[in-house]
Amino acid sequence: MTPQAFYGAAYPKLCAAEQQLVELIGRCPVARDSEGREAAVLYCKSRVKSPESMLDKLEKNGLPPTSCAALQYMHDAVGVRAVCAFTDDVYRVASWLSAQPEIRKTAVKDYIAPPKPNGYRSYHLILALTDGPGAGMTAEVQLRTIAADFWAALEHQMKYKHTVRHEKLIQDELKRCADEIASVDLSMQTIRELLSEDF
């Protein structure tokens, strides 16, 4: 089933909301100076959730397998991931985004402080678009560092394997890797702060 067939008349509005958020995040000011030497957001990925993925989520939540239920109860039909270099940029972008007049923040889930038990680190915002081409739609924006994005991408690939031998060992290793990556993020943040003292 195509997204157009599943979401029906709402599909163009979902695409407009996706584009609006990507463009909005692209206007986020730089992290350090007006010369553009450090962009707060390195890159964005976005999507309208596939019908298969949405139907799975609706089933897990005991909801009817319809686009109406998806749009009424699920808030991530539109998803945008913004990847930053540093952890403080994640919080800076979240604050800036939340203050924009065309959106209303409806929920926040901070999985950086503290992370999920498996080591996942990301900052999630549920946003309602109140103005512009995507007005009336909701979306989930995930903000994370490039290091955390690397870990999440690999963890996501591996967890969808159907048969997993040594599952506990793999989970422990993934958690250890997540902790090491978080330590690297902290070290890079410290180096950045030390360097900024020289400017």
Side-chain angles (χ1 to χ4, degrees):
M1 179 186 311
T2 66
Q4 294 90 329
F6 179 70
Y7 293 110
Y11 183 68
K13 197 82 165 171
L14 291 169
C15 293
E18 175 188 11
Q19 186 63 35
Q20 183 179 349
L21 280 170
V22 169
E23 289 174 4
L24 180 64
I25 291 168
R27 294 196 303 269
C28 185
V30 296
R32 193 164 91 195
D33 62 30
S34 60
E35 295 173 16
R37 287 185 287 180
E38 287 186 22
V41 176
L42 299 176
Y43 58 88
C44 268
K45 298 176 185 178
S46 65
R47 56 97 182 113
V48 172
K49 198 179 215 42
S50 71
E52 296 77 19
S53 182
M54 183 59 83
L55 288 167
D56 285 347
K57 189 167 184 180
L58 288 167
E59 183 181 352
K60 285 177 189 171
N61 285 275
L63 294 166
T66 65
S67 62
C68 288
L71 296 172
Q72 184 174 356
Y73 298 110
M74 301 290 109
H75 303 292
D76 64 344
V78 174
V80 179
R81 181 175 307 131
V83 177
C84 303
F86 300 95
T87 303
D88 67 346
D89 288 342
V90 168
Y91 290 104
R92 186 177 290 115
V93 172
S95 178
W96 179 84
L97 197 53
S98 299
Q100 298 312 296
E102 63 266 46
I103 59 174
R104 179 173 47 85
K105 180 174 64 177
T106 63
V108 172
K109 294 179 183 174
D110 187 346
Y111 298 120
I112 297 174
K116 284 188 174 183
N118 69 347
Y120 175 83
R121 286 171 168 84
S122 188
Y123 192 92
H124 295 194
L125 293 164
I126 302 298
L127 304 175
L129 284 82
T130 58
D131 196 10
M137 296 290 109
T138 60
E140 180 182 62
V141 175
Q142 298 178 354
L143 302 162
R144 61 177 70 141
T145 65
I146 194 167
D149 192 52
F150 158 75
W151 180 90
L154 295 180
E155 191 267 349
H156 180 77
Q157 282 183 14
M158 290 186 280
K159 86 175 181 185
Y160 284 101
K161 293 202 177 278
H162 295 290
T163 55
V164 179
R165 291 179 57 208
H166 314 294
E167 185 172 0
K168 176 72 168 89
L169 176 61
I170 290 169
Q171 288 173 345
D172 290 347
E173 282 299 296
L174 282 168
K175 174 66 167 70
R176 185 184 60 77
C177 288
D179 291 343
E180 289 179 5
I181 286 171
S183 177
V184 169
D185 261 342
L186 183 60
S187 296
M188 296 302 284
Q189 181 74 48
T190 302
I191 292 168
R192 178 199 208 188
E193 289 166 3
L194 289 169
L195 286 171
S196 70
E197 291 174 4
D198 297 333
F199 289 94

